[in-house]
Amino acid sequence: MASSESRYVPADLEPRRQRRWAELGLDRTPDPSDERSENFYALSMFPYPSGNLHMGHVRNYVITDVIARVQRLRGRRVLHPMGWDAFGLPAENAAIERGVDPAAWTERNIAQMRAQLQRLGLSIDWEREVTTCRPDYYRWTQWLFLQFLDAGLAYRREATVNWDPVDQTVLANEQVDAEGRSWRSGAKVEKRKLRQWFLRITALADALLDDLPLLEGWPERVRTMQANWIGRSRGALLRFPLLDAEDGVEVFTTRPDTVYGVSYVVLAPEHPLVERLTSPDRQDAVEAFRAEVAATSEQERVAEDRPKRGVALGGAVRHPFSGDAVPVWIADYVLPDYGTGAVMGVPAHDSRDFAFASSHGLAVRTVVVPADGEIPGEIPNDPPGEAFTAPGRLVNSGRFDGLVGEAAISAVVEAAAAAGCGEARTTYRLRDWLISRQRYWGCPIPVIHCDHCGVVPVPVEQLPVELPSDVDLSGSGGSPLERASDWRRVPCPCCGAEAHRETDTMDTFMCSSWYYLRYTDAGNGNEAFAREAVDRWLPVDQYVGGVEHAILHLLYSRFFTKVLAQRQLVGCREPFRRLLTQGMVQGITYRSPSSRRYVPSAAVADPSAPTDPDTGEALEVFYEKMSKSKHNGVDPGAVIDRYGADTARMFILFKAPPEKDLEWDDADVEGQYRFLQRIWRLCDSAAQGGLRLGSPAPWPRTLADAERDLRRAVHGAIEAIEDDLLGDELQCNTAVAELMKLSNAMGSGLAAVGPAVAQEAVTTLLLLLAPFAPHLADELWEQLGGEGSIHRQRWPQLDPTALVRDTVTVVLQVKGKVRGQLEVPADLGAADLEQLALASEVAQRWLEGAAPRRVIVVPGKLVNLVP
RNA sequence: GCCCGUGUAAUCCAACGGUAGAGAUAGGCGACUUAAAAUCGCUCCAGUGCGGGUUCGAAUCCCGCCACGGGCACCA
């Protein structure tokens, strides 16, 4: 029979299985209105269609696919869609560099990437594919924009904004990193004053923050990042009146209780009151300082370690409580766009103010002392060595003396409010979302500018406002749409006079903020989505994607969902119930220590002692995120060619837990391939031995020991894998390890059992394998005579009685150290176990006849004797 | 500086407070083979980053450090 042994040839088997799945329509989303089972929405972050699938994509989609397949086997109706985040600059840049049409370029990339994706055997319902750059999608993006406009949540204003000099467009705050670089181009952004479109995300700041605790299925760290980003800060607004005028300087402070410690007020150099508060003799100094600040970059200015510089204006304001005159300064450490752009200087109780006051000779007045300390009879006059910033008891503060902490804060705020010179105030770090982009390849903002009527929304029935083709993209400066004069010129929808279209396009994050809603009703030509369809599937049960969107996409999408919920368009406040942020895929990276040049792994002759092929010097070896520039990428297509998709999937799932970074290792890929071959041989030899899965063999009246052992392994695997896949955290790596363990047990145990137990074992192995290696499992299922596709079967039922053991090994400890073992009946009670332990030879030897002081018994586990 | 995460065998990774090893890679030995590959079997390798503490018992809980990764940061 050995000669008839068949071989595992994934290159042949996988396309065949995929054709079969397509014929059967296995991946089509079931009708969600069927009430007999629950719905499950498995979602991956959709890709930008660069044209090339990389390992990060593979990891993302394979994880989601395992979840989708497990849920299907467990009887859920699963929605598992895919689409394309298809607007964006690479298409436009390709157009500029090579003269290709952005739409055609994008569509070609999509076709290419879809084909690459499909080779992975993902159970995606392609009938619901969405593509954000197509008019049938962006029509609804525009419609949603008009919803925001109607709700007063979209507006246009002049503002200082981030300008990316490389991509020639503005960026939202979220798209600029801590170093002041663009998330896309990496260029240092510049500040420009421009008239731009914004979405009023700050109006939802409280909701976005307060609902974070609802997201129990999200990683803690993502929630923290969003909370930091929103940056809510509760405090008060206090007004310091000008000496000779009605109005005053408003400051924001989180410590209104320290107001009696104010020895100066500082404005941002850009503050509008600077001119009025500058005395003639200070004019030149102030001008010079403002010019200097204007010349320093944003990044330099916010660097914490630089000295705090500033100049006095000469003018003063009146303290709201004491009435004293307080000098006014400007300084570079006060930022114009946070709070009110002005702060009260309290050197004794704020470390920044302390540093500033120390270097400019300003008074330091102590007004807070530790609350638990003695109340000093006399407040020390010596200036302290550093600011005391903790909350405490007020002193030197007039009628507020003696108040402590929160009580002091609210007393001051109430007094300020009563006197009309202040009120409680909350400020946020979060800024409104700048959505204008001065580029062509994006969703046009559907408004028309009319000299008579102002900004007029494009009537809904005229949507979509389609992008014109044949636009000259080559030029620089301004949006390309500005130059499409035929497209731009339109009659005003209100008065009919000649008007012109808005030429800014939307940030692509607008398009991706609602795609998960469109999937639920992808073919709808009459509306963005039916509320009914959305409510059946949302919130998404499991979302999987990269942590790089912890703020960007995930915050915007939450914002969209909340606005749509307010407008009764969707029924949930949060779009994503569970979120898994998968780790990076890293490649082995070689770098020359002297030239800092990256060397491709193909050029490294001996990986155990890598040397530079040109210079012969030893190379640095480390793992880093795969990228073209580091020559450390592995092409998914090449891996599939060589080993098949199932091996690639198994490797990625096994090598590391989903949330952690994964180090690509060819030897481990090889190992996974061997494992799948082992399963193939296992099933093949079972088939040769006559095993068939079609009709169940009669169950024996009693089981032999070998049969009970094998059943224990089988049901142990079910239990463990359910734990790994359905528990709080997804642990695909240990689930795969359990599969290996089961296959090892079957390798030695299958021959010794009767047909019924063998059938159960093989069926279970294949069912448990099916979500991970769907092609192989389905092929073997068919070869063994299983009915239909394995992907239409039900998840194996755990039989707890199969897990029961007759005897167990109990550990004997003496003072917590393992000293021996006892083989005892599994159901032996604590008292009996203790007796057995005390009588044991180990106890005799270690206790030397003395009775233990204490005995800890964990039945079925251990006995600990404490002398 | 603040917050979060991670440190276990040569390597990647496991271990409800209860025998540190589930699984894999690499290495070693053996079987099969004329030989090699493949396959199968066996096997070497850590006391869990460091220092304390709690406990009968700590990789796991607590405190203080160190290293690496990530987020925020003159945000008043």
Side-chain angles (χ1 to χ4, degrees):
Chain A
M1 288 298 272
S3 59
S4 68
E5 195 173 277
S6 58
R7 288 190 53 226
Y8 172 44
V9 186
D12 163 50
L13 170 169
E14 292 182 353
R16 196 171 65 243
R17 296 287 18 131
Q18 290 181 11
R19 280 196 298 276
R20 183 84 185 116
W21 298 343
E23 285 164 22
L24 293 171
L26 279 189
D27 302 333
R28 207 170 289 139
T29 311
D31 175 5
S33 61
D34 180 345
E35 296 293 329
R36 280 169 305 175
S37 61
E38 286 175 62
N39 295 334
F40 189 96
Y41 190 171
L43 180 68
S44 305
M45 288 185 186
F46 68 166
Y48 177 79
S50 64
N52 284 306
L53 192 72
H54 59 243
M55 281 300 176
H57 294 127
V58 174
R59 191 174 192 196
N60 191 160
Y61 308 141
V62 166
I63 291 169
T64 312
D65 192 51
V66 169
I67 294 164
R69 288 182 180 279
V70 169
Q71 294 297 340
R72 258 191 226 106
L73 285 173
R74 294 184 60 79
R76 304 289 186 82
R77 289 184 306 256
V78 172
L79 170 58
H80 180 206
M82 185 55 71
W84 309 98
D85 188 13
F87 271 132
L89 278 172
E92 192 162 342
N93 291 338
I96 294 166
E97 284 156 26
R98 279 166 279 158
V100 293
D101 172 42
W105 184 87
T106 305
E107 291 292 345
R108 200 172 56 237
N109 284 350
I110 288 174
Q112 201 171 314
M113 265 177 98
R114 192 195 297 113
Q116 291 171 332
L117 263 181
Q118 285 172 335
R119 293 190 68 196
L120 288 165
L122 306 169
S123 59
I124 286 167
D125 181 358
W126 287 100
E127 290 172 14
R128 288 170 184 255
E129 183 179 14
V130 304
T131 305
T132 60
C133 69
R134 292 190 193 154
D136 65 358
Y137 182 90
Y138 71 68
R139 171 183 183 183
W140 303 114
T141 309
Q142 291 174 341
W143 179 81
L144 286 165
F145 174 86
L146 296 180
Q147 293 289 308
F148 278 83
L149 193 63
D150 180 62
L153 293 170
Y155 65 93
R156 205 160 77 113
R157 77 173 152 101
E158 172 126 296
T160 305
V161 296
N162 304 301
W163 173 263
D164 182 331
V166 170
D167 282 346
Q168 292 279 307
T169 186
V170 297
L171 296 171
N173 276 11
E174 288 78 14
Q175 291 152 23
V176 179
D177 70 13
E179 263 106 58
R181 293 181 184 277
S182 157
W183 72 293
R184 260 211 82 256
S185 69
K188 284 255 172 161
V189 302
E190 298 162 7
K191 292 289 177 189
R192 288 203 180 176
K193 224 168 168 81
L194 292 168
R195 199 166 163 77
Q196 300 284 308
W197 282 96
F198 290 85
L199 292 193
R200 208 181 298 277
I201 190 171
T202 52
L204 281 282
D206 282 320
L208 288 167
L209 185 66
D210 293 337
D211 281 351
L212 281 175
L214 301 179
L215 300 174
E216 287 167 11
W218 282 39
E220 181 66 39
R221 118 190 122 109
V222 175
R223 288 190 281 170
T224 312
M225 282 165 70
Q226 292 213 352
N228 284 344
W229 187 261
I230 294 166
R232 179 162 67 194
S233 172
R234 297 188 194 277
L237 206 66
L238 295 176
R239 252 181 306 279
F240 287 67
L242 302 192
L243 297 183
D244 51 1
E246 286 299 295
D247 53 348
V249 174
E250 289 189 329
V251 303
F252 173 74
T253 176
T254 55
R255 291 296 302 276
D257 56 325
T258 64
V259 67
Y260 272 85
V262 170
S263 46
Y264 61 99
V265 162
V266 211
L267 310 181
E270 297 85 348
H271 198 282
L273 285 173
V274 171
E275 276 91 8
R276 282 175 62 195
L277 283 161
T278 303
S279 60
D281 58 313
R282 301 294 301 156
Q283 203 86 41
D284 293 346
V286 169
E287 281 309 316
F289 183 70
R290 292 179 89 184
E292 195 185 316
V293 171
T296 46
S297 74
E298 174 77 8
Q299 199 209 338
E300 228 181 301
R301 180 163 164 191
V302 297
E304 203 170 338
D305 45 3
R306 64 195 294 272
K308 295 174 179 24
R309 299 158 40 79
V311 296
L313 294 180
V317 291
R318 198 176 299 290
H319 191 284
F321 291 102
S322 70
D324 294 345
V326 177
V328 180
W329 289 61
I330 54 175
D332 55 0
Y333 78 95
V334 178
L335 305 173
D337 52 2
Y338 182 80
T340 60
V343 303
M344 59 186 208
V346 186
H349 305 293
D350 180 282
S351 48
R352 293 152 304 181
D353 295 342
F354 184 84
F356 187 72
S358 306
S359 53
H360 293 91
L362 290 152
V364 181
R365 289 168 51 88
T366 296
V367 295
V368 181
V369 295
D372 52 356
E374 306 239 325
I375 300 171
E378 203 161 310
I379 306 307
N381 263 340
D382 307 331
E386 57 177 1
F388 174 69
T389 56
R393 184 186 305 278
L394 295 192
V395 294
N396 268 345
S397 297
R399 63 189 139 131
F400 303 110
D401 278 356
L403 293 171
V404 174
E406 283 300 320
I409 290 176
S410 39
V412 172
V413 174
E414 276 161 32
C421 63
E423 68 228 21
R425 172 65 63 93
T426 301
T427 61
Y428 302 86
R429 215 188 76 95
L430 182 71
R431 292 282 96 99
D432 276 342
W433 175 13
L434 168 49
I435 57 155
S436 291
R437 296 292 179 272
Q438 288 71 49
R439 298 301 301 237
Y440 166 76
W441 192 235
C443 175
I445 293 176
V447 300
I448 290 166
H449 299 280
C450 170
D451 288 343
H452 313 289
C453 311
V455 172
V456 181
V458 172
V460 169
E461 62 277 9
Q462 287 178 27
L463 297 181
V465 175
E466 288 204 41
L467 278 175
S469 45
D470 300 328
V471 174
D472 169 27
L473 300 174
S474 59
S476 60
S479 167
L481 291 177
E482 299 256 7
R483 298 189 291 274
S485 39
D486 288 349
W487 176 84
R488 215 178 147 229
R489 198 163 37 234
V490 284
C492 170
C494 279
C495 67
E498 186 170 300
H500 62 91
R501 292 192 186 282
E502 170 65 56
T503 57
D504 282 348
T505 52
M506 293 182 211
D507 183 357
T508 55
F509 280 99
M510 287 283 285
C511 309
S512 58
S513 290
W514 72 282
Y515 77 107
Y516 49 91
L517 302 172
R518 181 68 179 172
Y519 281 142
T520 67
D521 199 10
N524 196 329
N526 301 316
E527 50 190 341
F529 43 81
R531 161 110 193 227
E532 191 195 25
V534 168
D535 287 352
R536 280 213 181 102
W537 292 109
L538 267 280
V540 170
D541 292 282
Q542 180 69 65
Y543 198 17
V544 183
V547 74
E548 66 273 17
H549 285 114
I551 292 169
L552 293 158
H553 161 65
L554 290 168
L555 187 66
Y556 296 148
S557 295
R558 294 183 61 222
F559 167 54
F560 258 61
T561 302
K562 287 187 185 308
V563 171
L564 297 182
Q566 282 179 358
R567 294 181 72 81
Q568 309 291 318
L569 293 165
V570 302
C572 59
R573 283 153 69 182
E574 287 290 342
F576 313 123
R577 183 174 288 147
R578 290 196 2 145
L579 172 69
L580 188 155
T581 50
Q582 101 261 3
M584 288 186 295
V585 180
Q586 304 183 315
I588 191 157
T589 312
Y590 300 99
R591 189 173 59 194
S592 154
S594 54
S595 66
R596 314 292 290 169
R597 199 171 59 90
Y598 290 96
V599 179
S601 58
V604 174
D606 177 11
S608 60
T611 53
D612 191 313
D614 299 334
T615 64
E617 76 182 320
L619 294 169
E620 297 172 331
V621 185
F622 48 95
Y623 281 90
E624 249 187 306
K625 182 174 181 178
M626 289 184 177
S627 75
K628 219 173 227 167
S629 60
K630 291 179 181 132
H631 305 291
N632 62 352
V634 175
D635 170 34
V639 176
I640 296 174
D641 288 343
R642 183 148 179 205
Y643 300 104
D646 283 342
T647 295
R649 294 170 60 114
M650 293 287 287
F651 164 77
I652 276 188
L653 294 165
F654 176 67
K655 177 74 179 175
E659 307 249 5
K660 286 183 70 175
D661 290 347
L662 178 155
E663 296 177 357
W664 189 272
D665 180 356
D666 290 331
D668 286 325
V669 178
E670 197 81 50
Q672 281 306 314
Y673 187 53
R674 286 203 295 262
F675 172 56
L676 293 184
Q677 283 176 311
R678 214 149 47 227
I679 291 192
W680 176 276
R681 281 195 305 272
L682 185 75
C683 292
D684 194 47
S685 68
Q688 308 257 347
L691 184 82
R692 284 292 175 274
L693 300 181
S695 50
W699 199 254
R701 188 167 299 165
T702 56
L703 295 177
D705 282 353
E707 292 180 320
R708 298 178 56 195
D709 286 346
L710 186 61
R711 289 201 79 221
R712 197 177 304 117
V714 167
H715 288 272
I718 297 173
E719 187 182 43
I721 291 177
E722 283 184 358
D723 238 41
D724 290 336
L725 300 184
L726 305 170
D728 283 344
E729 52 188 329
L730 186 75
Q731 290 182 288
C732 298
N733 54 325
T734 50
V736 173
E738 287 297 330
L739 287 172
M740 292 172 167
K741 204 164 111 182
L742 177 57
S743 110
N744 289 343
M746 285 169 65
S748 55
L750 207 53
V753 301
V757 173
Q759 232 177 26
E760 183 192 32
V762 172
T763 301
T764 305
L765 176 69
L766 292 180
L767 281 170
L768 295 176
L769 180 70
F772 300 90
H775 308 90
L776 175 62
D778 199 35
E779 174 79 10
L780 292 172
W781 177 261
E782 186 178 282
Q783 286 184 15
L784 286 164
E787 204 179 311
S789 168
I790 196 168
H791 301 297
R792 285 246 168 99
Q793 307 304 312
R794 291 306 297 264
W795 187 254
Q797 181 72 39
L798 175 65
D799 175 5
T801 64
L803 300 174
V804 175
R805 293 170 175 278
D806 294 338
T807 63
V808 289
T809 307
V810 166
V811 172
L812 244 186
Q813 295 183 338
V814 177
K815 210 169 180 280
K817 294 243 187 319
V818 179
R819 298 302 184 194
Q821 299 181 337
L822 286 175
E823 191 73 13
V824 301
D827 53 359
L828 192 67
D832 294 337
L833 196 50
E834 182 171 344
Q835 289 311 313
L836 262 183
L838 289 170
S840 69
E841 186 249 346
V842 170
Q844 303 303 318
R845 179 145 45 96
W846 289 89
L847 298 177
E848 292 164 343
R853 209 154 41 82
R854 199 171 159 191
V855 181
I856 285 101
V857 183
V858 184
K861 284 273 186 188
L862 63 84
V863 179
N864 188 7
L865 306 173
V866 186

